[in-house]
Amino acid sequence: MDQISVVLTDDHVVVRNGIKLLLENSHEINVIGEGANGQEALDLCKELKPDVLVIDIRMPIMNGIEATSKINEYSTTTKVLILSMHDDAEYILDAAEKGASGYLLKDSSSDEFLKAIKTVNEGKKYFSGDISKVLVEGYLNMKHTGTTPVVAQQGNHEEKIDLTKREKEILQFVAHGKSSKDIASVLNKSVRTVETHRFNIMKKMGVKSAVELISKINEMPTLKVELGL
């Protein structure tokens, strides 16, 4: 039986080494490339054409969901399995919409991890029980809410920025001076999850700091009204 070729991408070397050891001990999977960010993952997929790309979400340069959305430009035969610590519905839904074939949490068992890779390699979808529940609930909820484009005035032109409901919620806290730790406590999420949302918000809004973010909000009357500012 041919081994399943995998490109593994995570910005933490220790994590990559542990996952690689787990996969290769199965004797059914061959890790043929390793990357530390989304762009490296795409470049490796273009060169090596792996069966499966296993990728984390939050990484420098390019995150895993953005890389997932671009995978077909680099390799049309590679399936994407997201391996993340984030169980937030926003990430799960976004990953699925961007074309991920599977989504698995990092605290999953080794047996489930191997099963997920094999399932995805066969052209099927793999979302664990809890993740599937989030997908169904999130889909039903987003049919009623969805994402709302925020409009920013740029001279005589309007810039449209698609922010999710959760991103707007976090942006409201940020605008009121709340730290990631404070926001995480209120929303019952991890600080890392909140910081990932903040990173995505700043990227969408084209800013690089909290100061620039606040300034951007002040340039957007519609958003200020939505945030109650």
Side-chain angles (χ1 to χ4, degrees):
M1 178 178 175
D2 293 336
Q3 288 184 311
I4 300 171
S5 59
V6 167
V7 162
L8 176 62
T9 311
D10 193 295
D11 59 331
H12 294 94
V13 177
V14 174
V15 173
R16 282 206 316 271
N17 288 343
I19 295 174
K20 181 180 180 180
L21 182 63
L22 167 66
L23 295 180
E24 294 192 333
N25 278 345
S26 73
H27 305 298
E28 297 177 69
I29 297 169
N30 181 25
V31 177
I32 60 175
E34 299 177 54
N37 61 68
Q39 188 58 59
E40 286 185 7
L42 292 175
D43 292 338
L44 285 167
C45 287
K46 183 176 182 179
E47 176 187 355
L48 303 174
K49 297 294 189 293
D51 297 316
V52 179
L53 167 62
V54 175
I55 190 168
D56 192 8
I57 290 181
R58 187 175 183 185
M59 296 177 294
I61 302 177
M62 183 188 293
N63 66 49
I65 293 179
E66 187 176 353
T68 299
S69 71
K70 297 176 181 291
I71 188 64
N72 285 334
E73 299 173 24
Y74 291 77
S75 175
T76 58
T77 59
T78 300
K79 309 296 190 303
V80 178
L81 173 64
I82 300 289
L83 180 65
S84 174
M85 63 176 287
H86 299 295
D87 61 356
D88 191 277
E90 299 281 352
Y91 293 121
I92 298 167
L93 289 165
D94 199 14
E97 290 173 354
K98 293 299 190 301
S101 294
Y103 194 114
L104 200 65
L105 298 178
K106 284 186 174 179
D107 60 1
S108 299
S109 69
S110 57
D111 286 342
E112 183 172 24
F113 187 18
L114 295 173
K115 179 181 179 182
I117 291 178
K118 293 174 186 177
T119 301
V120 165
N121 180 59
E122 293 171 356
K124 303 174 185 176
K125 302 292 185 181
Y126 190 94
F127 296 91
S128 60
D130 291 341
I131 299 299
S132 294
K133 182 180 178 181
V134 170
L135 280 173
V136 172
E137 292 178 348
Y139 173 73
L140 293 175
N141 182 55
M142 290 181 77
K143 283 187 71 175
H144 294 92
T145 59
T147 60
T148 306
V150 175
V151 179
Q153 191 71 31
Q154 299 290 321
N156 295 322
H157 304 284
E158 288 188 339
E159 174 191 2
K160 291 186 177 180
I161 304 171
D162 287 327
L163 295 177
T164 66
K165 182 179 178 181
R166 177 53 57 82
E167 286 170 345
K168 285 185 181 181
E169 184 178 25
I170 288 176
L171 190 56
Q172 184 178 41
F173 284 117
V174 172
H176 284 97
K178 298 295 185 182
S179 68
S180 293
K181 185 177 181 180
D182 293 334
I183 298 171
S185 178
V186 173
L187 299 180
N188 195 28
K189 299 292 181 182
S190 70
V191 174
R192 186 180 175 97
T193 293
V194 172
E195 289 179 343
T196 300
H197 278 302
R198 290 183 64 155
F199 173 82
N200 290 336
I201 291 168
M202 289 195 294
K203 187 169 184 179
K204 287 182 179 181
M205 297 182 70
V207 299
K208 296 182 179 180
S209 69
V211 173
E212 290 182 10
L213 183 59
I214 298 300
S215 177
K216 185 86 169 185
I217 292 173
N218 290 329
E219 296 172 1
M220 304 171 70
T222 301
L223 180 58
K224 289 183 68 175
V225 171
E226 289 187 28
L227 298 181
L229 301 177

